[in-house]
Amino acid sequence: QVRLVESGGGLVQPGGSLRLSCAASGPSLSSLNMGWIRQAPGREREFVSVITWAGAQPYYSDSVKGRFTISRDNTKNILYLQMNSLKPEDTAMYYCAARRKDYDLMNPSGYDYWGRGTQVTVSS
């Protein structure tokens, strides 16, 4: 099936920036809506952002809107998440996820494919 591999996580101070990448491989990648979902220890999975295949429309959770920017390179099959003005509350494992259906994209449970995650820690 589709394979998703994240990279770019790390330790940053509050107010800092990181750019996450997700390399996708497998069949029918051009039809995938791709996004980012995060999970902090002891917390449920939380939708962060998604960008659609049709029209490349981005959507963000209220908690990251204005600070994060999602984008995708369809030629190279790479998904990005530029994270600016990071807060300690952003600390989590960030997962790249993909969904073939183009509705209910803000629901983490609806995604079909998942990467193994990249850790983002925001701390002074």
Side-chain angles (χ1 to χ4, degrees):
Q1 293 184 332
V2 173
R3 185 188 182 201
L4 306 174
V5 181
E6 305 94 333
S7 62
L11 173 64
V12 297
Q13 295 184 351
S17 298
L18 284 174
R19 188 174 80 156
L20 306 183
S21 299
C22 172
S25 61
S28 302
L29 299 181
S30 63
S31 67
L32 292 174
N33 305 287
M34 299 185 66
W36 295 93
I37 295 166
R38 66 188 182 186
Q39 186 172 28
R43 309 291 292 183
E44 279 296 304
R45 292 175 298 173
E46 177 188 14
F47 168 80
V48 176
S49 183
V50 64
I51 185 166
T52 64
W53 173 77
Q57 290 293 315
Y59 299 91
Y60 302 93
S61 68
D62 290 339
S63 62
V64 307
K65 188 174 297 183
R67 300 187 296 121
F68 292 8
T69 302
I70 191 170
S71 61
R72 64 189 297 172
D73 185 334
N74 291 335
T75 300
K76 298 180 178 180
N77 296 318
I78 300 177
L79 176 73
Y80 301 100
L81 184 68
Q82 178 66 46
M83 305 186 295
N84 298 325
S85 302
L86 283 162
K87 305 175 180 179
E89 305 92 274
D90 296 316
T91 296
M93 183 71 73
Y94 283 70
Y95 297 93
C96 178
R99 177 172 167 85
R100 294 200 176 278
K101 296 180 179 178
D102 61 356
Y103 61 90
D104 198 23
L105 293 172
M106 275 62 74
N107 180 7
S109 298
Y111 282 76
D112 302 300
Y113 311 105
W114 295 80
R116 294 183 179 180
T118 185
Q119 179 68 38
V120 172
T121 302
V122 185
S123 176
S124 60

